Amino acid sequence: MMMLSSIPTRPLALALEALCLSLLLLTTPASAATVTFSVPPSPQIPNPAALPPSTHATLTALGAAYAAPLTADNAFVFRNVTPGSYLADVHCATHGFAPLRVDVVSVTEAGRKKKRTDGGEDDEGVSLRVWETFRGNDWENKGEEIRPDVVGGAFPVKVLGSKIYYTERSSFNVLSILKNPMILMGLVSLALFVGMPKLVENMDPEMRAEFEEQSKKNPMNSLMSGPQSGGGPMGNFDMAGFLAGQGSGSGGGKEQSATTNSGNGGKKGGKR
C-alpha cells in the first residue's frame, strides 16, 4: 500500500519541474535586450571594412561581461544583455575608440504607458540609453548622450584616431643645427668679432678717437688686458692674487718678517 501511494507523486514532481523550466525560459528573453553598435565612416576610417578581423567590442559590469566580434555590416551585436549599467569598449589594433556607458533598464508597466504616450516603447520591455564616459572620473559623470540613427537602430561609436607604435627616425638636416642655442650664440659672437674691427675702420676720425677714449676708461678692458704700468687703479689690480686670498699688504708683511728674522739672527750672532 505504501508503494502504491508513492507512485503518483513522481510524475507530479516532474511536471512541476518542467513548468518551472518553461517559466524560466519564457521570462528570460523578456528581461534581456539586444545592444548594437556600429562603426560609421569617418575621416579617420573612410572604410570601416578595412579594420583588422581581431577588432571586437566588450560590455563589462560588476559580475557580468559580454563580447561581440565585428560583423560584415561593421557592427557589434550583443544579445541577451541583462539589465544593468555597462562600460562599452571597442578593442582595435589600429585605431582607438571612445568608451561609452550603456544603461539597460527594465521597463515596468507604468513606464511602458509613459513611453507609449511619448511614442517610444520598447518591444522587449527594456530601455537602452548610451552616453559618453570618461576614464578616471566618477561613473555618474556622463557626457553627451548618444542616440541611434533610427529608432531601435545601432548606436554609433566615436573614433579617436589611429594608433602609432613606431616613431619615424628623423633625418639629418642642416637647419636643425642652427636651432641649437649654443650654435646661435657662437655665430653671433663670431659676427661681432669679425665685424667690429671693420666698423671701427670705417668710422670718422673724431668718432673713432672718442670710441677709443671710452674704451680706455672702461674697467673691463683693464681687467681683460692684465696689469699695466702707469695705468689707472684697476691696472695694478692682481686678479689671481685676489682670488688666491692674498691682499695688497701681504708682500710688505713678508718683507718685514724677513728683516726682523735677519736682525734677530745678527743679535744672537753678536752675543756669541
Side-chain angles (χ1 to χ4, degrees):
M1 294 293 293
M2 294 179 62
M3 294 180 62
L4 293 176
S5 61
S6 62
I7 290 175
T9 60
R10 299 177 65 183
L12 182 59
L14 294 175
L16 290 175
E17 186 179 355
L19 181 60
C20 292
L21 290 175
S22 61
L23 290 175
L24 181 62
L25 293 175
L26 289 175
T27 55
T28 300
S31 61
T34 300
V35 184
T36 305
F37 297 101
S38 63
V39 183
S42 61
Q44 293 84 359
I45 307 179
N47 183 17
L51 291 174
S54 60
T55 304
H56 64 283
T58 57
L59 280 178
T60 55
L62 187 61
Y66 300 90
L70 182 65
T71 63
D73 298 333
N74 303 324
F76 306 97
V77 182
F78 297 91
R79 294 182 174 85
N80 298 328
V81 180
T82 57
S85 186
Y86 298 89
L87 174 65
D89 281 315
V90 178
H91 306 274
C92 181
T94 57
H95 293 80
F97 295 84
L100 300 175
R101 171 180 171 172
V102 181
D103 285 359
V104 181
V105 182
S106 178
V107 180
T108 59
E109 293 296 332
R112 291 183 184 180
K113 291 180 181 179
K114 185 177 179 180
K115 281 182 170 293
R116 190 178 295 108
T117 57
D118 298 338
E121 184 183 1
D122 196 341
D123 295 335
E124 296 183 354
V126 292
S127 174
L128 297 177
R129 300 193 67 180
V130 179
W131 297 274
E132 290 183 355
T133 188
F134 310 97
R135 297 187 183 277
N137 293 348
D138 190 13
W139 183 245
E140 298 299 330
N141 186 10
K142 296 178 291 188
E144 182 183 0
E145 185 174 1
I146 306 298
R147 298 186 181 275
D149 299 332
V150 296
V151 178
F155 295 92
V157 293
K158 182 180 179 181
V159 184
L160 298 178
S162 59
K163 297 180 180 179
I164 301 175
Y165 296 96
Y166 301 98
T167 303
E168 185 178 357
R169 185 177 182 179
S170 59
S171 59
F172 177 76
N173 190 4
V174 180
L175 297 178
S176 62
I177 301 178
L178 299 178
K179 296 179 181 179
N180 192 341
M182 301 301 295
I183 299 297
L184 293 177
M185 293 175 61
L187 292 177
V188 172
S189 302
L190 180 62
L192 293 176
F193 181 77
V194 176
M196 285 299 294
K198 294 184 178 180
L199 291 176
V200 173
E201 291 177 359
N202 296 330
M203 285 183 179
D204 296 336
E206 298 179 358
M207 186 178 296
R208 183 176 180 179
E210 183 179 358
F211 177 76
E212 291 178 354
E213 184 178 357
Q214 291 181 357
S215 300
K216 291 179 181 179
K217 294 180 180 179
N218 190 1
M220 294 301 297
N221 292 334
S222 60
L223 291 176
M224 297 297 293
S225 59
Q228 298 178 359
S229 60
M234 297 296 293
N236 297 328
F237 182 74
D238 187 6
M239 178 62 72
F242 177 76
L243 295 177
Q246 299 176 359
S248 58
S250 61
K254 290 182 179 179
E255 293 177 356
Q256 185 176 3
S257 62
T259 54
T260 54
N261 291 333
S262 61
N264 294 332
K267 291 179 179 180
K268 290 181 180 180
K271 289 180 178 180
R272 289 177 183 177

